[in-house]
Amino acid sequence: MAERGIASSLVRFAPGGPRWPAAVQAGIAMFLPITIGTALGAPQLGLLAGTGAFAAMYGGGISRLDRVRALPFVVIALILSAGLGVLGSGSHTTALIVVLISGILSSILSAGYNVGAPGAFMFTLVTGIGVQLAAPRTSGGAGLPGWEVIALVAAGAILAYLVVIAPLIVPRIRRAQPVRTPVAGIFGRFGFDDNSYLATVRMVVAVVLGTLVGIGIDGHRGYWIVCTAMAILSVGHSRRLTLERGTHRVLGTLLGAGVFLLLALMQPHGFVLAIILGIFQGVTQLVISRHYGLALTLITPLALLIAGNSHVNAEAVAFERVLDTVIGAIIAAGVLLVTVPRPRRRSSEAPVEPA
């Protein structure tokens, strides 16, 4: 029965409300930095600034006024994530350490503050991309100056924020917004229920295991293993949903790697590449809560094009990411079998009301 449910999830969309406005904004947020970079004669730098455009994918389910107040925290977190990656780009060991730190911190903070989709793994992904971009060319990185990587991510993230808040300039749209929620109400008080506690513990364990596995491979790509395990385990205590997420992750990455190879053969650049990647991010935002496999099919080539810009052999990059995804999925499946006791509330504590 479980296998039948997982198979059916591959060909159907989960119910969900309209996300077109947020999807359009996410697509524009990715399109603009690449377009601006192309217009200025530096398309590659525009592509790297697209890393910060991931900020536009957060908060798609809340009002524009609430996103105005919530997204600055996401922007800051993405910039810090990239900075952490730069700090760890000097060696195999430091790369693994910063991925470990990023994975643990983002797992705890994202769950504790109920950040929502796309979740904690995106911050660790940006840390890994920061490592890849700032790592020396002799070790397979892009060899970019660290300050340049941080500045590009910051520029892309700030531009994404401006794209999100821009519609509020129109009086009609601004008047149509519901009463804004205090920041504390958007994120809630830091804490865990039984579901988020278990998901967080499992993610932290998976981060540690994924990092240990990364010791035996290229430290500058080990982040993909960690991110895979985090994304699969982020759905909580339900084993069926976690197995479903794992299946979507592996198949979505496999298809996404194929899309990446196709783009590598076509070699789109400039404005054409900006349009393609803008569509990819926009559709990802549209479907990420309804069909995770399709979202991964689109976000995978996007991440590979940004982080793998220094690689000549696209086939090798695609193969490595598929292999890393399978390893991460195996780690997640193993962690899923571990029973974690529920946190006990002390009798003197009043139950926390849901945010």
Side-chain angles (χ1 to χ4, degrees), residues 102-221:
S102 177
I104 292 175
L105 288 180
S106 61
S107 296
I108 294 173
L109 294 176
S110 295
Y113 284 113
N114 193 28
V115 171
F121 88 92
M122 192 65 79
F123 300 107
T124 305
L125 176 65
V126 171
T127 297
I129 291 175
V131 169
Q132 185 67 47
L133 295 177
R137 291 184 181 273
T138 53
S139 62
L144 295 177
W147 67 266
E148 187 172 294
V149 174
I150 297 172
L152 288 170
V153 172
I158 293 170
L159 183 59
Y161 178 70
L162 295 177
V163 169
V164 169
I165 68 174
L168 292 174
I169 298 175
V170 181
R172 179 178 60 82
I173 295 178
R174 189 167 60 250
R175 288 193 299 267
Q177 298 300 304
V179 178
R180 66 183 181 181
T181 307
V183 173
I186 297 173
F187 293 112
R189 287 175 290 181
F190 182 83
F192 305 90
D193 57 21
D194 289 347
N195 182 36
S196 62
Y197 168 81
L198 183 53
T200 304
V201 170
R202 282 176 168 164
M203 280 196 290
V204 169
V205 172
V207 168
V208 174
L209 292 176
T211 304
L212 291 175
V213 171
I215 294 175
I217 63 173
D218 180 1
H220 296 145
R221 68 173 235 246

Side-chain angles (χ1 to χ4, degrees), residues 233-258:
L233 293 169
S234 64
V235 293
H237 67 280
S238 171
R239 291 189 177 185
R240 186 191 67 81
L241 287 178
T242 304
L243 289 172
E244 180 180 303
R245 175 70 69 93
T247 303
H248 279 235
R249 178 82 192 189
V250 173
L251 294 180
T253 301
L254 181 61
L255 292 174

Side-chain angles (χ1 to χ4, degrees), residues 74-85 123 126 150-151 153-155 157-158:
V74 174
V75 169
I76 293 171
L78 288 173
I79 296 171
L80 291 176
S81 297
L84 189 60
F123 300 107
V126 171
I150 297 172
V153 172
I158 293 170

